Amino acid sequence: MATTDVNIRTVTLMEAESRLVRAFRLKRPVFLWGAPGVGKSELAKQIADKKYLGNTLLIDLRVALFEPTDIRGMPFFNSDSGLMEWAPPIDLPTKDLAAKYDAVILFLDEMNAAAPAVQAACYQLILNRRVGTYKLPDNVVIMAAGNRETDKGVTYRMPSPLANRFIHLEVRVDFDSWFNWAVDNKIHEDVIGYISFAKQDLFNFDPRSSGRSFATPRSWTTVSEFCYDEDITDGELTDLTSGTIGEGTAIKFIAHRKVSADMPKPSDILAGNVKELKIKEISAQYALTIGMCYELKEAYDKFGKKDTKKWHKLADNFFRFMMDFFPTEMTVMGARTAITNYNLPFDPNKLENFKEFFDRFGKYVVKAMEA
């Protein structure tokens, strides 16, 4: 929940998502504040992808790189009329383009890092929904984002008239929001496993620190991409990870990854070929749980609808293995991910182990799904 102190009131990304959608339905512009790498840009894409407003186009503009003419357009002399006119900006949506969609999200990223003259041009667009001769189509909604002044980035103080036009939301990093996004976007299981165990390492940005690299949801996404590189050497991964999230966090992550490498393969577990688990390292077990969820989801997408008997056998082994070897918290996480995040259609009548699972963990799973 958001804090009740209005001076420091913040929202999670999940909370911000619902607030943004409500504001968009009223065509109210929203400014999203937050530290570097917390997921502000990804949220705009997520709202468009989920089609809350119908078929939605996202136009992502990095206005910190803009000149005023990029917003207002370029003046030219019209020889027919003998007047100076304005050519509309190419990056803003035309009426014909907007007509192809139910809604268009115009995302002005890094807006408070733009020069004052650019912000002034944006002010006209946001206040009047037009600038020069250009007019925003009726189905366009505006979202802007930027870092806070305390983040020590390049920012300009936003003019009060412009600030007053926005609804302001400040985002804080939240593990549950990140976890849901991570499993939906198939962030590497080693990354999710490690962060599930060491939640404090999801975000360790300190604007007072002189360190060049630090852990954020964005930088962990980069680490995930390195982990998916099958040809990467241990030395390369260590150096690149250190340069992405900082050396201290990287050393702990690499140690976790080495243990995870010795865990059984998720495909072997779901096939029923693994009957024991010798490694008790918690972070590695978290990673294995996510790996099993990925494997089960891929199996369903591949053949689950056609061969429900075979798929439910894999699902049965999924539940059996977690019950036999994982602590309650981890078992609940695996079931919740499979049911809530992936909407996998488990049929209790086709699962031999379902009754035992429900009797032992059902109330915990239901509680986790309601949270």
Side-chain angles (χ1 to χ4, degrees):
M1 296 295 292
T3 175
T4 57
D5 186 339
V6 295
N7 293 318
I8 57 172
R9 190 177 187 87
T10 60
V11 294
T12 67
L13 283 173
M14 284 193 295
E15 291 169 339
E17 182 176 318
S18 68
R19 278 66 167 168
L20 280 163
V21 172
R22 290 189 180 277
F24 287 163
R25 286 172 178 162
L26 295 176
K27 294 185 180 178
R28 300 300 182 188
V30 180
F31 198 104
L32 208 61
W33 299 86
V38 299
K40 301 184 293 296
S41 301
E42 287 78 5
L43 183 57
K45 181 178 183 302
Q46 185 169 303
I47 290 175
D49 289 344
K50 289 186 177 181
K51 294 181 169 44
Y52 289 111
L53 307 174
N55 187 25
T56 303
L57 171 67
L58 172 65
I59 298 178
D60 188 342
L61 303 180
R62 295 295 193 271
V63 293
L65 305 176
F66 276 24
E67 298 291 337
T69 52
D70 292 326
I71 297 294
R72 187 173 181 183
M74 184 69 70
F76 69 96
F77 177 70
N78 187 329
S79 58
D80 294 332
S81 65
L83 299 174
M84 181 68 73
E85 297 184 8
W86 289 85
I90 192 171
D91 292 316
L92 297 180
T94 64
K95 185 176 180 179
D96 290 341
L97 176 63
K100 299 177 182 179
Y101 299 88
D102 297 313
V104 177
I105 298 176
L106 180 60
F107 180 42
L108 307 176
D109 203 2
E110 301 174 357
M111 183 173 170
N112 60 331
V118 177
Q119 291 194 35
C122 290
Y123 171 65
Q124 298 177 48
L125 186 67
I126 294 162
L127 178 63
N128 302 315
R129 293 185 62 84
R130 65 184 304 158
V131 57
T133 58
Y134 172 79
K135 183 179 179 181
L136 276 177
D138 290 339
N139 63 336
V140 175
V141 295
I142 297 175
M143 173 182 173
N147 298 140
R148 305 159 300 183
E149 292 181 16
T150 54
D151 295 324
K152 304 299 182 183
V154 177
T155 60
Y156 296 90
R157 183 176 294 276
M158 187 182 299
S160 296
L162 177 57
N164 188 243
R165 187 62 179 173
F166 280 109
I167 297 169
H168 297 269
L169 297 174
E170 182 168 333
V171 177
R172 69 178 185 272
V173 176
D174 169 71
F175 170 77
D176 290 335
S177 296
W178 176 81
F179 178 88
N180 288 329
W181 176 87
V183 296
D184 288 344
N185 288 274
K186 206 175 180 182
I187 295 299
H188 197 281
E189 59 265 30
D190 284 347
V191 171
I192 299 180
Y194 176 77
I195 297 298
S196 297
F197 172 72
K199 296 180 177 65
Q200 73 280 359
D201 286 341
L202 173 59
F203 181 79
N204 62 10
F205 171 65
D206 182 356
R208 297 166 297 181
S209 172
S210 60
R212 298 185 184 93
S213 51
F214 45 88
T216 68
R218 179 170 58 200
S219 58
W220 278 113
T221 299
T222 302
V223 173
S224 171
E225 293 169 351
F226 291 140
C227 290
Y228 274 120
D229 186 345
E230 296 180 355
D231 297 326
I232 198 168
T233 66
D234 290 343
E236 289 171 337
L237 180 61
T238 300
D239 291 340
L240 291 169
T241 302
S242 296
T244 304
I245 57 176
E247 184 174 7
T249 305
I251 290 173
K252 293 185 290 182
F253 173 73
I254 294 299
H256 148 79
R257 183 170 162 82
K258 288 180 179 179
V259 176
S260 296
D262 293 330
M263 298 292 272
K265 293 181 179 180
S267 57
D268 290 339
I269 294 173
L270 298 188
N273 298 329
V274 180
K275 304 299 183 182
E276 61 178 351
L277 183 65
K278 298 179 180 179
I279 299 174
K280 303 301 181 182
E281 177 68 36
I282 297 298
S283 66
Q285 291 187 356
Y286 272 122
L288 181 58
T289 304
I290 296 300
M292 291 165 58
C293 291
Y294 286 169
E295 189 74 22
L296 192 61
K297 172 68 162 57
E298 289 179 5
Y300 180 75
D301 291 340
K302 186 176 181 179
F303 62 82
K305 295 179 182 179
K306 298 179 180 179
D307 193 343
T308 59
K309 182 178 180 180
K310 178 181 178 182
W311 182 79
H312 274 89
K313 181 60 178 177
L314 300 180
D316 216 31
N317 292 332
F318 170 75
F319 287 112
R320 179 77 267 165
F321 189 86
M322 290 194 299
M323 285 192 292
D324 289 346
F325 301 110
F326 289 164
T328 298
E329 179 183 358
M330 207 170 300
T331 303
V332 171
M333 182 189 78
R336 176 180 175 274
T337 301
I339 296 171
T340 304
N341 293 92
Y342 292 149
N343 293 314
L344 295 179
F346 300 112
D347 184 346
N349 296 321
K350 297 180 180 180
L351 294 171
E352 295 179 6
N353 295 307
F354 181 79
K355 185 178 185 307
E356 179 184 350
F357 179 84
F358 187 81
D359 289 343
R360 291 174 57 183
F361 303 102
K363 61 181 179 180
Y364 303 113
V365 175
V366 171
K367 185 176 180 180
M369 293 172 62
E370 293 175 346

